[in-house]
Amino acid sequence: MELGEFARNLGYQDVEIGGSAHGPVTASPEEENSAAGKPDPDSAKEFMQLKPYAGMPKEVLLLYSSQARYRVPREILFWLMVACTVMLVGLTATVIALSPRCLSWWQTSAVYQVYPRSFRDSNGDGVGDLKGILEKLDHFHYLNIKSVWIGPLYRSPMRDFGYDVEDFRAIDPLFGTMEDFEVLLAEMHNKGLNLIMDFIPNHTSDRHPWFNLSRTRDPHYKDYYVWTDCNETTPRPNNWVSVFGNSSWTYDEVRGQCYLHQFLKEQPDLNLRSPRVRNEMIDIIRFWLGKGVDGFRIGAVKRILEAAHLRDEPQVDPNKSPWDLHQDYTTSQPGLHDLLRDWRAEMDIYSREPGRYRLMVTESYDYHEVDKSMMYYSTPLVKESDFPFNFYLVDLPQNSSGWWVKHLVNLWMANMPRGQWANWVVGNHDKPRIASSAGQTYICVINMMLLTLPGTPTTYYGEEIGMENIEVTESQDPAGKYNASASRDPQRSPMQWSGDMNAGFNNKSKVTWLPVHPDYARVNVEVQKTDEGSVLAQYRFLSILRQSELPLYRGWFCYVHVDGSVFAYLRELDGLDRAFLMVLNFGKDLVFTDLSSIRELPDQLKVLLSTNRANDGKVWQKSQIPTEAGEGLVIQYATHTRFNPSHPGECFISDKACYLKALDLLYTC
């Protein structure tokens, strides 16, 4: 019935069905001729005119699908699709195989250090807190910051402002609650920000339950700290000296022994040689990674282990101060890196979640022993920290010359293991603000260098607006109580948000834990947002430029010139037709720099950004580039000639890649 209803060619019906559904049909003469083997020209013609049609039955489809004019195009299309699929799979595999490693979140922007006591006070008690940080998250977006390092938030008696930890799993009420922390972390992740926490494994507070149990010789906790025999009258088992310049030993009447403290006596050193203490540290790491934090900055790592033999350390000069010692037995002891690798392995477990790599940064002031700093980097076989903090640029104010700046930069670049990622720090909570130590004249050129060198820059809160040290008459810092000149209070003053009361740090009371700098009406975020030539505006421009330009965040870094005033270098990427030249004047006078010997540079160079905005857009001859004292230039130029192939000794790169303009992609070269 279906065939009879939908077929429109009656000739086909007669041939295929041969009759009617309503009964026998008398054969026509034409049919008789056909049955007798005589072809009917009219029927054959009608049959040959039959065409495929919509809704055709299977029988019709099969009748025509085998014909060459349908079969051949179908086979051609099929094999064409197979070939295209193979080509796409091959192209995808080739792109994946040739693509360089993607940069992680901690490599794509600067790390911004928040000192929580001083960032923003939300409740008017004079001390910054978690809700205050939450209120200012948009500031990080404005600066194009993706990584935020927040100082210690743990419950603490605050003898060392949070670095004396009473409970590693609790938030100090001064900053808020654990719920406040979780809300802040969730909102940071919603805004694409990553949170780095301080981790302090070297010591605890003397109020920590572990210490109280250890001093009573509880069987489980008795070896949690470094104890040794001594007596109350001469509580110095050896000559070891704390960071604050006094003896590292204090006698405990309850236990009848001395305990080690490389910082305050209220900060007893943990015994990291104890398996139980090691397990405690791993449990703490798990606790916070389970909360969702994105990484740790591990403080005072070189002091985590000390020599078990407790011998006297040798004096630097036997004829001078007995407190000036070579720290051969209290820093960088064997076994230290094994500990760090164990913690790194634990963090890698949590890094398996796609897009949630957990960062590990180590803090170690090794000064002239740069080789010790380099040991904190991972190796091809064993993972450790992603980078150790690089504090050598903190010494910039010691010498105002281009030679000195290059020396400090090259100290890291020439010693860094091949393929590793650099880091740069010019100020933090322990060091004077760079605007005070180097001078306001140089703050913009220093920020320019910080944001155009290869690697991850680290910015201490307030440096993006050029905040300076405050004057403190009565030190709150324990270091300042031992030595007034060593106080760290001056660089920890409240953040200057606006010209309002307390610089916008606290608008609910007149109380601030440290005085606000008197220049806050002029130096603050609100004012500088409206000034295109401000420190803040230039910082923001360079932060955005760094992330948007391939040569600046993953290209070659090459020295091109240095003299008594100027330090100049370029950033370029193979295959890309543009590069950047930085000319930075750290001297005291106007100078003209001659780069005519650099044949890879075009004769005319146009300034993209100058720290003196009057020079933006100007074109200079490469033989005579003028810069004033404290002026820095970012020059973008077009080129097809690379500098690095002819000067391998002057150039560095972490992960070499090339740019393919035709496909707009990077590939390993």
Side-chain angles (χ1 to χ4, degrees), residues 289-581:
L289 292 180
K291 289 283 184 184
V293 301
D294 300 286
F296 292 106
R297 170 262 192 186
I298 304 178
V301 292
K302 71 177 182 179
R303 300 181 182 275
I304 288 175
L305 289 177
E306 49 284 317
H309 54 66
L310 305 184
R311 297 172 189 158
D312 281 357
E313 291 188 313
Q315 287 183 237
V316 173
D317 186 343
N319 299 318
K320 294 185 178 180
S321 171
W323 301 101
D324 190 11
L325 307 173
H326 291 290
Q327 296 180 334
D328 294 344
Y329 306 140
T330 54
T331 62
S332 305
Q333 296 301 296
L336 165 63
H337 292 280
D338 293 331
L339 269 174
L340 296 175
R341 290 162 188 165
D342 287 345
W343 297 341
R344 173 73 263 177
E346 193 64 34
M347 294 174 69
D348 282 344
I349 294 173
Y350 287 82
S351 297
R352 293 171 185 168
E353 182 181 349
R356 292 299 309 280
Y357 182 81
R358 309 304 173 98
L359 175 70
M360 178 173 161
V361 180
T362 46
E363 179 216 33
S364 176
Y365 289 91
D366 293 305
Y367 302 102
H368 61 284
E369 296 179 308
V370 65
D371 55 314
K372 289 185 177 180
S373 293
M374 298 303 154
M375 292 178 68
Y376 295 103
Y377 275 114
S378 298
T379 70
L381 298 177
V382 183
K383 288 195 67 177
E384 201 165 314
S385 63
D386 293 290
F387 58 77
F389 271 139
N390 170 11
F391 296 108
Y392 290 100
L393 292 186
V394 172
D395 293 334
L396 279 171
Q398 292 183 12
N399 188 325
S400 58
S401 75
W403 289 108
W404 176 246
V405 178
K406 182 185 177 182
H407 164 71
L408 295 178
V409 171
N410 197 56
L411 193 62
W412 196 268
M413 298 304 296
N415 288 284
M416 184 173 64
R418 185 176 182 180
Q420 296 298 333
W421 191 257
N423 165 261
W424 311 95
V425 178
V426 296
N428 65 9
H429 60 287
D430 288 329
K431 299 296 181 180
R433 288 193 175 277
I434 198 71
S436 292
S437 57
Q440 277 286 351
T441 301
Y442 300 95
I443 184 63
C444 284
V445 72
I446 290 172
N447 278 340
M448 179 175 284
M449 180 173 69
L450 184 72
L451 291 166
T452 56
L453 285 173
T456 298
T458 303
T459 293
Y460 184 49
Y461 83 97
E463 286 179 353
E464 74 274 25
I465 58 173
M467 280 179 60
E468 294 184 286
N469 290 352
I470 60 170
E471 292 186 9
V472 177
T473 55
E474 184 178 351
S475 180
Q476 298 193 42
D477 178 30
K481 293 177 180 178
Y482 284 102
N483 179 359
S485 64
S487 176
R488 297 166 295 181
D489 289 338
Q491 59 263 27
R492 298 177 177 181
S493 61
M495 177 66 177
Q496 295 161 208
W497 294 105
S498 67
D500 298 336
M501 179 178 68
N502 300 323
F505 166 72
N506 167 6
N507 53 15
K508 294 185 178 180
S509 73
K510 294 183 179 180
V511 179
T512 58
W513 81 282
L514 281 175
V516 175
H517 198 288
D519 71 357
Y520 74 88
R522 176 180 58 86
V523 180
N524 65 67
V525 173
E526 190 177 84
V527 166
Q528 293 195 13
K529 276 186 175 181
T530 63
D531 180 3
E532 292 184 356
S534 67
V535 179
L536 179 67
Q538 293 186 29
Y539 185 99
R540 181 172 185 258
F541 179 90
L542 289 166
S543 178
I544 294 172
L545 184 72
R546 178 187 182 276
Q547 188 177 21
S548 60
E549 291 290 346
L550 283 170
L552 288 178
Y553 71 88
R554 68 177 310 156
W556 286 92
F557 164 75
C558 301
Y559 303 120
V560 294
H561 177 83
V562 63
D563 58 31
S565 297
V566 171
F567 174 46
Y569 54 90
L570 60 82
R571 305 298 308 278
E572 63 182 14
L573 186 73
D574 294 324
L576 196 64
D577 58 3
R578 64 182 181 277
F580 294 87
L581 170 70

Side-chain angles (χ1 to χ4, degrees), residues 59-97:
E59 291 82 358
V60 178
L61 179 63
L62 292 175
L63 180 65
Y64 285 94
S65 63
S66 60
Q67 294 182 11
R69 59 175 173 172
Y70 295 108
R71 186 184 71 254
V72 173
R74 186 171 67 247
E75 291 180 354
I76 292 174
L77 287 173
F78 171 78
W79 289 111
L80 185 61
M81 290 177 64
V82 170
C84 289
T85 301
V86 171
M87 289 177 62
L88 285 173
V89 170
L91 180 61
T92 302
T94 301
V95 169
I96 293 173

Side-chain angles (χ1 to χ4, degrees), residues 590-616:
L590 168 69
V591 296
F592 291 86
T593 302
D594 182 5
L595 299 181
S596 57
S597 62
I598 312 299
R599 61 180 181 81
E600 291 85 358
L601 293 175
D603 292 334
Q604 292 188 328
L605 298 167
K606 185 175 182 180
V607 177
L608 176 65
L609 175 71
S610 169
T611 55
N612 178 1
R613 294 304 300 271
N615 290 330
D616 286 1

